[in-house]
Amino acid sequence: METGKHVKTQSGALTTLITVFFFWGFIAASNGVFIPFCKHYFHLDQFQSQLIDFAFYGAYYLGALGLFFFGTMGGKDLVGKWGYKKSIIYGLLFSLLGAIAMILAINFGGFTGILVALFIVALGFSLQQTAAQPVAIELGDPATGSQRINLGGGINSFGTMIGPIIVSYALFGAAVYSDSEIQSLGLGTVTILYAFVGGLFLLCALLFIFSKKVPSGIIDEKLEKADKATRTLLIITALLILCFIPVFKSYVGVNTDISEDARHLLETGRLKWLLLALAVVVFGLLGSWQSAKKNQAGWGAMKYPQLVLGMLAIFLYVGVEVSIQSNLGELLKLPEFGGKQASETSPYISMYWGSLMIGRWVGAIPVFSPGKSLKNLLLVVVPIVAFGLIILVNSIAQKDMSALYWYIICVFIQMVAFYISQDKPALMLLLFSVLGVVAMLVGIFSTGTFAIYAFLSGGLFCSIMWPNIFSLSLAGLNKYTTQGSAFLIMMILGGGIIPPIQGKLADISSIGIHQSYWVTVVCFGYLAFFAFIVKRILKNQGIDYDAQV
């Protein structure tokens, strides 16, 4: 990484690029409202409702995996061959097909059709993200790449904040429905919503086609074969398929009239297979790390330990970020958490995703190169303004936000964490991960508003993790950067595995939805470990990332 030289950010190209970040957040966050709706509309259990996340985030894995395999077969990185610009355009057009598929599914396909449509939308997102993340890093000084991704993340989080509000309005209007009344509602408004979203996909694709500001990003450099990485990923994929077959077989064949003991055995069996799938990913990646340490030949980008450990970090980060909110609707139904109906949860889902927006807006401040005094002022002003915006937008949508006013205290805690971390990616990741662990423990060992605030604050502490993990994992990869980016995008699969595991734990009566949040503690714990060890790994390669920032 180059030091001692200021590289000016290409603001025009960056402005065009970050438009696609909005879509990723809008659709992903909308699932938080769509999941409890589908649960009651289609009569699903908590695990079955989490199949929405499985289809959506599983597509990221398969999409990025396909890019890698086609690239290794041709001897060139496929995204590099097409160029970043064309790859984003292709991804947008693919997501457009997914929006069309959603309209057809709503009218003709039922719940299975909805899962297929979300899968297609996310396949397009997979291609977009594989190209967009590295180009954001390259549109200026590599040392501040995480801050540009944070800026895109701020736009992404604006989408996540308003997504639940818009989808909730599309599903329920301004009325409050009991869970039993949801069956009487229709999905016609969702057809209109996805027609609008499809139009935005097309408009954004045209924007990129005619934009001269976004560089083509074509990379002609040949890559050495990564036979060992290919073999490892194929084995992981095959084992995951074997794990999921019995999970879905039991889902399709379940009889709602079976005895309680038989149901318990069925749910326990599902959980075991899901945990085995998790073990396949964890031990597959850790085994690759140890093997590459002995002989780097044939591993491609996976010969870099920061990337392999970063892949697991992205897996668990996406898993915990999604799992907190995907199971939040069920948690809020408990009497000790307010006993809310599915149609009443959107303000909380919006505040959770808005918490990510708050952190990402603050994390993007250094992109604009403010002076020290102005920067310190913005560290206070920006999060307060962002919090006020969340309250305002929900209030305009006629949502009662009075129970969330004092959540500003959690925002103040995040302000202090930002000040202490001083924009240093590894330190910031470590500090926010530890705060994430503390917040989840507080939520688990308490109830009511105090516990709700603790779980919602997981969004504040997740906010900066994606850009920091991404930039730390890609540091020093050079010609392997786009291949490494594809590997990281694959690990968005965590959003398809971790939430169903928590959902399955929640379905076990002896555990329940509240205690199922121990899953989030484990995830944040690993992220703290990664933040601690990656700094040492990079220093051994001559990269002192925090010092250079």
Side-chain angles (χ1 to χ4, degrees):
M1 185 183 298
E2 190 175 4
T3 56
K5 182 179 179 181
H6 177 69
V7 181
K8 187 177 179 181
T9 299
Q10 301 176 46
S11 56
L14 184 61
T15 301
T16 304
L17 176 68
I18 60 177
T19 57
V20 298
F21 283 68
F22 174 85
F23 295 118
W24 308 337
F26 181 90
I27 301 297
S30 300
N31 291 344
V33 174
F34 207 40
I35 285 171
F37 175 87
C38 287
K39 176 178 179 178
H40 299 289
Y41 189 84
F42 294 105
H43 301 294
L44 310 173
D45 64 22
Q46 186 64 11
F47 163 74
Q48 292 164 356
S49 70
Q50 297 298 311
L51 294 178
I52 289 176
D53 278 336
F54 178 83
F56 188 79
Y57 293 101
Y60 277 94
Y61 177 78
L62 293 177
L65 186 67
L67 287 174
F68 169 67
F69 284 151
F70 281 116
T72 54
M73 287 168 59
K76 283 188 177 182
D77 183 273
L78 201 55
V79 171
K81 182 180 178 181
W82 291 338
Y84 295 136
K85 183 176 179 179
K86 283 187 177 180
S87 296
I88 293 172
I89 294 169
Y90 295 158
L92 285 164
L93 294 176
F94 211 89
S95 293
L96 171 60
L97 293 177
I100 295 171
M102 177 63 81
I103 294 171
L104 295 173
I106 289 169
N107 291 281
F108 306 107
F111 184 62
T112 301
I114 288 173
L115 295 180
V116 172
L118 283 172
F119 182 84
I120 296 172
V121 170
L123 277 178
F125 286 178
S126 174
L127 180 53
Q128 294 167 41
Q129 291 209 31
T130 301
Q133 308 292 343
V135 79
I137 294 174
E138 291 190 8
L139 290 176
D141 188 343
T144 56
S146 64
Q147 294 156 9
R148 284 188 295 282
I149 298 177
N150 254 330
L151 178 61
I155 303 300
N156 172 279
S157 292
F158 181 71
T160 64
M161 188 264 291
I162 68 171
I165 300 172
I166 293 176
V167 172
S168 177
Y169 189 82
L171 293 172
F172 306 113
V176 174
Y177 290 88
S178 68
D179 293 343
S180 60
E181 292 174 326
I182 286 178
Q183 180 65 33
S184 66
L185 298 175
L187 290 169
T189 50
V190 180
T191 300
I192 298 172
L193 176 65
Y194 267 87
F196 178 71
V197 168
L200 289 178
F201 286 146
L202 179 59
L203 182 63
C204 197
L206 292 173
L207 179 64
F208 273 87
I209 289 171
F210 293 109
S211 174
K212 296 181 180 179
K213 295 178 180 179
V214 178
S216 63
I218 295 174
I219 301 175
D220 289 325
E221 193 170 1
K222 278 196 171 186
L223 293 176
E224 66 184 54
K225 287 191 175 183
D227 295 335
K228 292 179 182 177
T230 302
R231 186 165 56 249
T232 298
L233 291 171
L234 278 174
I235 292 172
I236 289 176
T237 303
L239 290 175
L240 286 175
I241 292 172
L242 290 175
C243 290
F244 287 126
I245 285 174
V247 171
F248 291 114
K249 184 178 179 181
S250 62
Y251 158 55
V252 173
V254 64
N255 183 344
T256 56
D257 297 325
I258 61 177
S259 68
E260 192 62 33
D261 289 341
R263 180 173 293 279
H264 177 74
L265 288 174
L266 177 62
E267 306 302 349
T268 303
R270 280 181 181 169
L271 179 60
K272 288 179 180 178
W273 284 109
L274 285 168
L275 290 174
L276 184 58
L278 175 64
V280 165
V281 175
V282 172
F283 290 108
L285 291 176
L286 294 180
S288 300
W289 174 35
Q290 294 302 314
S291 180
K293 283 171 66 174
K294 299 174 182 176
N295 184 1
Q296 293 186 349
W299 282 103
M302 288 182 71
K303 68 184 177 183
Y304 293 93
Q306 65 266 36
L307 176 68
V308 177
L309 295 178
M311 289 168 68
L312 184 53
I314 287 289
F315 179 89
L316 293 174
Y317 151 69
V318 176
V320 71
E321 177 189 274
V322 175
S323 199
I324 291 172
Q325 66 89 31
S326 291
N327 290 282
L328 189 60
E330 189 69 13
L331 181 74
L332 293 173
K333 288 173 61 178
L334 297 178
E336 60 268 33
F337 284 88
K340 296 179 178 14
Q341 304 293 332
S343 58
E344 297 177 287
T345 61
S346 64
Y348 296 89
I349 303 295
S350 177
M351 181 58 76
Y352 174 78
W353 288 112
S355 296
L356 278 96
M357 182 185 76
I358 293 170
R360 287 168 179 172
W361 281 17
V362 176
I365 289 173
V367 172
F368 303 99
S369 304
K372 186 175 180 180
S373 298
L374 178 59
K375 180 182 174 183
N376 289 335
L377 177 62
L378 290 174
L379 283 176
V380 177
V381 172
V382 169
I384 293 176
V385 170
F387 177 76
L389 180 62
I390 299 166
I391 298 293
L392 177 63
V393 170
N394 278 275
S395 298
I396 291 173
Q398 300 181 340
K399 303 295 182 182
D400 182 9
M401 300 297 288
S402 58
L404 293 169
Y405 290 159
W406 286 104
Y407 183 67
I408 189 69
I409 295 173
C410 299
V411 177
F412 285 137
I413 294 173
Q414 188 198 50
M415 290 182 200
V416 175
F418 268 113
Y419 183 79
I420 294 173
S421 61
Q422 295 294 311
D423 301 324
K424 297 178 178 180
L427 176 61
M428 185 181 294
L429 182 60
L430 176 61
L431 181 58
F432 277 59
S433 298
V434 171
L435 286 171
V437 170
V438 173
M440 296 302 103
L441 289 174
V442 169
I444 289 170
F445 288 106
S446 61
T447 57
T449 301
F450 195 65
I452 292 173
Y453 282 9
F455 287 130
L456 290 178
S457 69
L460 293 171
F461 305 130
C462 280
S463 61
I464 52 79
M465 288 185 175
W466 174 275
N468 286 313
I469 295 170
F470 221 94
S471 55
L472 289 166
S473 300
L474 295 180
L477 264 63
N478 303 315
K479 69 177 182 179
Y480 294 102
T481 298
T482 54
Q483 186 183 94
S485 177
F487 287 159
L488 291 171
I489 297 299
M490 284 181 205
M491 292 299 105
I492 292 178
L493 174 68
I497 291 181
I498 302 298
I501 287 177
Q502 185 176 350
K504 192 82 263 128
L505 287 170
D507 282 334
I508 297 175
S509 58
S510 60
I511 297 176
I513 187 66
H514 190 189
Q515 295 304 311
S516 72
Y517 273 84
W518 276 103
V519 170
T520 64
V521 176
V522 175
C523 293
F524 277 121
Y526 174 79
L527 293 170
F529 164 76
F530 172 74
F532 176 79
I533 197 171
V534 73
K535 186 173 182 179
R536 182 184 304 174
I537 290 171
L538 292 176
K539 273 191 174 182
N540 290 338
Q541 298 174 15
I543 304 171
D544 192 344
Y545 213 95
D546 280 355
Q548 290 175 20
V549 172

